[in-house]
Amino acid sequence: MPSGQIIKAISGFFYVKSDDREVIQCRARGIFKFEKKKIKPLVGDLVTWESTGLDQGVVTSVQPRSTELLRPPIANVEQAVVVCALREPKFQSLPLDRFLVHAEKEKLRIVICLTKKDLVEQLEDIEMIKEMYSKADYPIVTTSIRTGEGIDELLEMLKGETTVFAGLSGVGKSSLLNHILPDSNQQVGAVSEKIGRGRHTTRQVELLPLKDGGQIADTPGFSQLGLQGMTAEELTYAFPEYHTYLESCRFRGCYHQNEPGCAVKEGVKAGELNEKRYEHYLLFLSEIQQERRY
Ligand SMILES: Nc1nc2c(ncn2[C@@H]2O[C@H](COP(=O)(O)OP(=O)(O)OP(=O)(O)O)[C@@H](O)[C@H]2O)c(=O)[nH]1
Ligand SMILES: [Mg+2]
Ligand SMILES: [Zn+2]
């Protein structure tokens, strides 16, 4: 049976790029299961398919995934570029941290991309963001599609990798993609001045090939991102700057919350660990604990 990869999904159709590079429009047949769990095919999935006519077919099986994100929905990516605007919409660290936690859980390589640099007058604002994430050691690229700044640096990080662009609506994911792949023609939309947000211009996940090898996925902007299904243990590992502190906490399996002798809490107090990140950590932890309680 021929195989291929799902590169786009729109209202029940899966567009499968077959091994000979042809794109077949497929429906999915039956219910797929891994480890007894029902699954739905995702963009990025490696599948087998059967022809049902000219350029048409059905997906007949889905291979086990190396990674799986549900928001945005995509399988088998190795790297996440978390895209955040510096301005329009204004920079927000809380949604960024939420997405970072999801990407950490899937063990993705992470890059933070700060867009719309051309709109920033106070460069100290950028320094503050870099400082906030310095201990976590995420690579940070600042870009502008107006001046072209940072694009080469970003391209270097994308080379040969399968990467997903993720971030709020209006931060400039599709604009970046158009800049990198001028032929890709992703639709871009203005940010609403009234509500200060994007208009959810991109409606589907699409995986595109890069010129120098690798693939890149544009995705719709998300707004609410919960931590459903994540455990408190997983959360403690999702903040990489806490790893070296963990062994100094008095209690094994410390959640860095109310436990005495917590090295993370002391690190925050001493100014070694970022306070805002820690606030977000505690917020996420309480969300997870609430969910378990009900
Ligand atoms: N000044 C400036 N504007 C930018 C830059 N990048 C994107 N924009 C603008 O930001 C707006 C939103 O861009 P999009 O690329 O549609 O944003 P998106 O993240 O794809 O949004 P969704 O598809 O809704 O998730 C558009 O008006 C772009 O022209 C930039 O580097 N500088
Ligand atoms: Mg878009
Ligand atoms: Zn602790």
Side-chain angles (χ1 to χ4, degrees), residues 15-284:
Y15 294 83
V16 177
K17 191 177 206 176
S18 65
D19 294 338
D20 61 12
R21 308 202 150 260
E22 211 185 335
V23 177
I24 318 291
Q25 178 180 300
C26 292
R27 291 275 187 193
R29 174 182 289 167
I31 299 158
F32 304 105
K33 286 183 184 172
F34 289 143
E35 292 161 359
K36 300 195 180 120
K37 271 197 304 192
K38 284 183 202 162
I39 62 138
K40 255 178 42 187
L42 289 177
V43 172
D45 267 330
L46 301 169
V47 300
T48 57
W49 57 277
E50 233 173 61
S51 175
T52 56
L54 194 63
D55 293 339
Q56 298 209 347
V58 284
V59 173
T60 47
S61 78
V62 178
Q63 287 179 33
R65 297 165 177 158
S66 60
T67 64
E68 171 191 274
L69 281 175
L70 294 176
R71 301 205 60 192
I74 191 160
N76 301 321
V77 294
E78 303 155 330
Q79 177 167 256
V81 172
V82 191
V83 184
C84 302
L86 288 159
R87 299 278 187 276
E88 296 180 22
K90 78 174 201 295
F91 177 78
Q92 292 172 276
S93 57
L94 185 59
L96 169 57
D97 281 346
R98 275 188 198 278
F99 190 77
L100 290 174
V101 163
H102 280 265
E104 285 285 353
K105 187 185 170 206
E106 283 305 306
K107 302 193 166 57
L108 302 184
R109 200 168 315 123
I110 293 169
V111 175
I112 297 174
C113 179
L114 304 173
T115 59
K116 313 196 191 185
K117 168 89 184 291
D118 55 285
L119 299 177
V120 178
E121 278 162 17
Q122 291 97 344
L123 295 182
E124 307 89 74
D125 294 2
I126 299 174
E127 286 314 308
M128 259 173 59
I129 300 168
K130 287 188 172 165
E131 173 60 30
M132 182 165 175
Y133 294 94
S134 61
K135 272 268 157 61
D137 221 14
Y138 294 125
I140 299 181
V141 194
T142 51
T143 60
S144 164
I145 57 153
R146 301 272 184 266
T147 65
E149 177 177 343
I151 302 292
D152 286 344
E153 195 185 339
L154 184 63
L155 271 176
E156 199 53 43
M157 291 167 158
L158 301 181
K159 218 185 251 175
E161 306 276 341
T162 305
T163 304
V164 59
F165 277 172
L168 300 178
S169 178
V171 295
K173 299 177 295 296
S174 302
S175 303
L176 272 177
L177 231 128
N178 284 339
H179 205 81
I180 294 167
L181 299 169
D183 297 334
S184 86
N185 284 323
Q186 299 295 311
Q187 210 187 331
V188 302
V191 172
S192 154
E193 262 178 54
K194 210 160 103 208
I195 53 171
R197 276 190 264 120
R199 297 167 195 266
H200 294 279
T201 305
T202 303
R203 294 285 171 184
Q204 77 251 350
V205 178
E206 185 171 2
L207 200 51
L208 298 155
L210 286 164
K211 274 195 275 316
D212 296 331
Q215 290 174 296
I216 180 89
D218 193 10
T219 67
F222 48 81
S223 37
Q224 293 296 317
L225 187 63
L227 299 168
Q228 288 84 5
M230 189 172 290
T231 65
E233 282 80 14
E234 283 169 332
L235 184 70
T236 59
Y237 285 102
F239 280 67
E241 64 267 53
Y242 300 169
H243 293 179
T244 54
Y245 286 77
L246 259 177
E247 13 183 288
S248 310
C249 290
R250 190 181 305 161
F251 294 102
R252 271 187 71 179
C254 181
Y255 289 155
H256 322 311
Q257 196 175 22
N258 302 312
E259 298 91 336
C262 170
V264 168
K265 245 189 319 190
E266 279 157 23
V268 175
K269 221 183 269 165
E272 295 163 20
L273 290 170
N274 184 272
E275 208 171 335
K276 192 109 212 160
R277 285 270 288 166
Y278 182 60
E279 268 172 34
H280 294 166
Y281 169 82
L282 288 179
L283 174 71
F284 300 158

